[in-house]
Amino acid sequence: MTDDAYLFLLDDASVPLGVVPAAVGDLACMETPAVRAWLDAQGSTPGSPNLRLLPPEERAAVPEGAERLPVPLSDEELNRVRHLMAPESLARIEEELLTYRDISDGRDGLIGRALAAGVPPHRIVELTGEDPATVTAAARG
């Protein structure tokens, strides 16, 4: 498990903040008694368009005063949340980085493209399983 992500409720469902948990797919935390009780207390449901989820590194973006609940996510669940939050071009590069584990040709080019697109080196290491020194060397040169 990772640091806690945050479920929270927005007053306006049109605000483009976080991801709707239903879009992420099955999340183990959504079936816990704590989340069910919190949703009931808020008069909300797991499918509500006002219900949003942010990964741990984005929790500062939860609006002041918004009803919120910390929830644990597995690494796989967290990757799905991050993928949905990424701009489309970043999401495509991240998808390539995930498939990178199965290829060896073009490694340096792919890492270079990911860095140029704005994927942080630590995220490249997470997605590829590549040695951080290799990614750092690609970033320099």
Side-chain angles (χ1 to χ4, degrees), residues 75-136:
D75 288 338
E76 191 273 329
E77 290 170 334
L78 186 55
N79 278 337
R80 287 186 290 165
V81 169
R82 287 177 176 147
H83 184 76
L84 286 170
M85 287 189 58
E88 189 174 321
S89 61
L90 267 179
R92 273 196 307 274
I93 290 290
E94 285 194 353
E95 193 65 37
E96 286 184 57
L97 288 167
L98 282 170
T99 61
Y100 165 83
R101 294 177 179 170
D102 299 328
I103 62 171
S104 59
D105 292 336
R107 176 192 74 184
D108 292 340
L110 177 57
I111 291 173
R113 286 195 349 256
L115 290 166
V119 179
H122 74 276
R123 185 74 175 129
I124 294 170
V125 169
E126 289 175 7
L127 293 167
T128 65
E130 192 62 59
D131 181 357
T134 302
V135 175
T136 302

